[in-house]
Amino acid sequence: MNEFMQDSAFAGVTISLLTYFVGIHLKKRFKSGLLNPLLISIAVTIVVLLAANVDYETYNMGAKYLSWFLTPATVCLAIPLYEQFELLKKNWMAVMAGILSGVITNMVTVLALAVLLGLNHQEYVTLLPKSITTAIGMGVSEELGGYVTITVAVIVITGVLGNMTGELICKIFHIREPIAKGLALGTAAHAMGTTKAMEMGEIEGAMSSLSVAVAGVLTVVGASIFAGLF
């Protein structure tokens, strides 16, 4: 199986897409937020690779092509924002304040946990970009001297958890304003949070799309500052 994966240029992509479609099917069938397609895809892919005795490097030779679509997919998030541009103009001060507070909260939380858990500097900066999209977070982690592969894993976990629990948290704390919901999901859980926001409504999706872009820029600046605090 390892030789087949090495000889096939797109075997990794095929496995990734098939397992993701399995996740989508299960979520539609059982209508449960816990059945996140990305989480299911990761779990099933790991099982397949272990069962077939295929190492990660071999699998990634074919799966790496998926990463080429990260940046274009992030840019496409501007479409729902354009459709709600008038709403953004009316509430731009509140929107910017919400995104800024979310970014600061994300990094302060990482700083507090690093102190509490006794992490070293390299581990600390690895976690700083946890709430921004992978395309930006990888660059931030590499520039600050973090473990890029762990950063990617943390970003994915953050997004999946945000996607699974975001709507529930809004209900628990009685957050009903669509703009607030979108800003919270986009700032805390990047593109995966935006996916959930789009399911919740057009306004939520548009505000979350904006949050992904702005939070990414603010985190690039803020991470450099926070990196020097620990």
Side-chain angles (χ1 to χ4, degrees):
M1 188 64 178
N2 223 35
E3 293 180 2
F4 170 76
M5 294 284 287
Q6 289 177 343
D7 294 336
S8 177
F10 301 103
V13 170
T14 303
I15 292 174
S16 301
L17 292 178
L18 287 176
T19 54
Y20 187 75
F21 288 144
V22 169
I24 292 176
H25 174 73
L26 290 175
K27 184 175 182 179
K28 288 182 177 179
R29 181 177 178 83
F30 297 102
K31 301 184 185 303
S32 172
L34 297 177
L35 295 174
N36 182 275
L38 181 59
L39 182 62
I40 292 173
S41 176
I42 293 172
V44 175
T45 299
I46 290 174
V47 171
V48 170
L49 294 182
L50 289 175
N53 196 29
V54 177
D55 58 76
Y56 173 77
E57 288 73 18
T58 302
Y59 158 76
N60 193 48
M61 285 174 61
K64 63 184 178 182
Y65 303 108
L66 287 173
S67 64
W68 295 357
F69 296 96
L70 282 174
T71 301
T74 303
V75 174
C76 286
L77 294 175
I79 296 175
L81 175 62
Y82 173 78
E83 295 174 346
Q84 299 293 332
F85 190 67
E86 290 300 320
L87 182 64
L88 172 62
K89 287 199 298 185
K90 292 179 182 178
N91 301 276
W92 71 271
M93 290 186 66
V95 168
M96 293 306 298
I99 297 175
L100 179 61
S101 62
V103 170
I104 293 175
T105 299
N106 289 333
M107 290 188 286
V108 168
T109 301
V110 172
L111 176 59
L113 287 174
V115 174
L116 182 64
L117 299 176
L119 303 182
N120 60 40
H121 178 76
Q122 192 170 15
E123 293 166 342
Y124 164 64
V125 297
T126 297
L127 300 178
L128 274 179
K130 70 177 182 62
S131 291
I132 58 176
T133 186
T134 308
I136 303 175
M138 291 173 63
V140 173
S141 179
E142 184 176 8
E143 183 178 343
L144 296 177
Y147 301 104
V148 178
T149 52
I150 296 179
T151 297
V152 172
V154 171
I155 289 173
V156 171
I157 292 171
T158 300
V160 170
L161 290 176
N163 184 286
M164 293 170 60
T165 63
E167 190 170 10
L168 176 61
I169 291 174
C170 288
K171 290 180 179 178
I172 291 174
F173 290 96
H174 304 288
I175 302 173
R176 300 184 179 89
E177 171 56 50
I179 295 177
K181 290 180 182 179
L183 294 178
L185 284 167
T187 305
H190 51 85
M192 287 301 298
T194 301
T195 302
K196 171 57 68 175
M198 288 179 174
E199 294 177 6
M200 295 166 68
E202 292 183 4
I203 296 176
E204 289 91 333
M207 294 301 108
S208 186
S209 299
L210 173 66
S211 298
V212 171
V214 178
V217 174
L218 292 177
T219 301
V220 170
V221 177
S224 300
I225 298 172
F226 271 79
L229 301 179
F230 181 78

